[in-house]
């Protein structure tokens, strides 16, 4: 047989094997996450979790979120639009998955702002300025203090709260829940407890619509 065709055949076989392996891996990963949710359903939402939208909404999007994650930044306005367009039928619950270096500090700053009723304003600023403070080779999350300095916060109190035990315990709980639910990348989405199998805006919208139908939402 011509050597060229042997090489091409070998390459094709490797590509097919790789694709098949990815399907098996994805299927296995999805199954592991489903099992984790079944065993740890209370790990999806905690009383301390920030909520955007109607607290009594029929459909809950749980997002495991890393303030330093570029994809989280890209999805932030998308998810907000979905909630705002749902006429109170969908809510967002934010959980933290600080997988990047420095993200734990960013989370603590956001939570300190939340203690003074400025969480969403602080989050908007952190997302808008993420390219400036979240460089992965040299993150500087402390810069967020400067970006939220005009929100009317008692900055001395906020900085003290950010290093206090209450926020530290909240963050530890979210990290423990992230691990229990097998979340290893961000953003990690669950809709009414169902993990998002195929990542992307369209699959997320489809899953939300599916859950709205199940819930009998108009």
């Amino acid at each position: 047989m011509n050597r060229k065709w042997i090489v091409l055949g070998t390459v094709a076989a490797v590509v097919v094997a790789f694709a098949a392996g990815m399907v098996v891996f994805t299927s296995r990963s999805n199954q592991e996450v489903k099992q984790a949710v079944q065993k740890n359903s209370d790990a999806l939402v905690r009383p301390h979790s920030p909520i955007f939208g109607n607290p009594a909404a029929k459909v809950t999007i749980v997002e495991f979120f890393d303030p330093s994650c570029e994809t989280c930044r890209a999805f932030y306005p998308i998810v907000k639009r979905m909630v705002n367009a749902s006429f109170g039928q969908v809510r967002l619950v934010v959980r933290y998955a600080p997988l990047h270096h420095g993200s734990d500090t960013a989370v603590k700053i956001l939570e300190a702002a939340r203690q003074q009723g400025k969480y969403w304003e602080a989050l908007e600023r952190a997302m808008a300025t993420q390219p400036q403070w979240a460089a992965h080779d040299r993150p500087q999350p402390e810069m967020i203090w400067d970006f939220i300095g005009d929100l009317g916060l008692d900055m001395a109190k906020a900085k003290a709260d950010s290093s206090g035990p209450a926020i530290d315990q909240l963050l530890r709980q979210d990290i423990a829940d992230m691990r229990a639910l097998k979340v290893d990348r961000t953003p990690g989405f669950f809709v009414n407890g169902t993990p998002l199998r195929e990542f992307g805006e369209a699959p997320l919208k489809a899953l939300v619509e599916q859950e709205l139908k199940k819930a009998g939402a108009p």
Side-chain angles (χ1 to χ4, degrees):
M1 183 183 292
N2 186 294
R3 177 173 293 181
K4 175 182 176 182
W5 289 109
I6 293 175
V7 171
L8 288 175
T10 302
V11 170
V14 169
V15 170
V16 170
F18 176 77
M22 284 300 294
V23 170
V24 172
F25 174 78
T26 302
S27 176
R28 184 182 300 144
S29 297
N30 285 332
Q31 190 60 33
E32 288 175 355
V33 174
K34 283 183 181 178
Q35 292 172 353
V37 172
Q38 291 171 357
K39 292 178 182 177
N40 303 280
S41 58
D42 59 339
L44 281 167
V45 179
R46 296 291 182 182
H48 65 250
S49 304
I51 296 174
F52 179 76
N54 177 12
K58 294 181 178 180
V59 172
T60 297
I61 302 173
V62 174
E63 178 181 356
F64 278 85
F65 168 86
D66 183 334
S68 302
C69 166
E70 294 97 334
T71 309
C72 292
R73 179 175 184 253
F75 263 82
Y76 176 69
I78 293 170
V79 178
K80 275 190 70 177
R81 283 196 298 270
M82 292 173 64
V83 173
N84 288 332
S86 73
F87 300 100
Q89 301 298 315
V90 179
R91 67 174 183 163
L92 168 67
V93 175
V94 177
R95 305 301 307 279
Y96 298 116
L99 298 176
H100 291 96
H101 179 59
S103 292
D104 54 342
T105 298
V107 167
K108 291 179 178 181
I109 295 171
L110 294 174
E111 283 297 315
R114 181 153 74 112
Q115 291 195 6
Q116 296 186 41
K118 298 290 185 179
Y119 179 77
W120 298 106
E121 296 93 330
L123 182 57
E124 292 276 353
R125 293 288 179 84
M127 291 294 93
T129 59
Q130 187 197 75
Q132 298 177 55
W133 61 263
H136 297 323
D137 58 336
R138 189 170 171 266
Q140 301 178 72
E142 295 82 4
M143 291 176 65
I144 297 173
W145 291 119
D146 295 329
F147 297 130
I148 64 175
D150 63 346
L151 295 182
L153 294 169
D154 178 336
M155 296 300 285
K157 182 179 185 303
K159 290 182 179 181
D161 289 341
S162 71
S163 58
I167 289 178
D168 184 66
Q169 179 56 40
L170 176 155
L171 181 55
R172 287 176 183 273
Q173 182 66 69
D174 276 23
I175 291 172
D177 290 340
M178 171 193 78
R179 291 170 177 164
L181 294 169
K182 307 292 185 183
V183 175
D184 60 2
R185 65 199 68 188
T186 54
F189 290 106
F190 299 80
V191 181
N192 279 5
T194 300
L196 184 65
R197 298 179 184 178
E198 180 185 351
F199 184 76
E201 179 180 354
L204 179 59
K205 287 182 177 178
L207 182 55
V208 169
E209 289 172 3
Q210 171 188 301
E211 294 301 320
L212 282 169
K213 289 179 181 177
K214 284 184 183 178

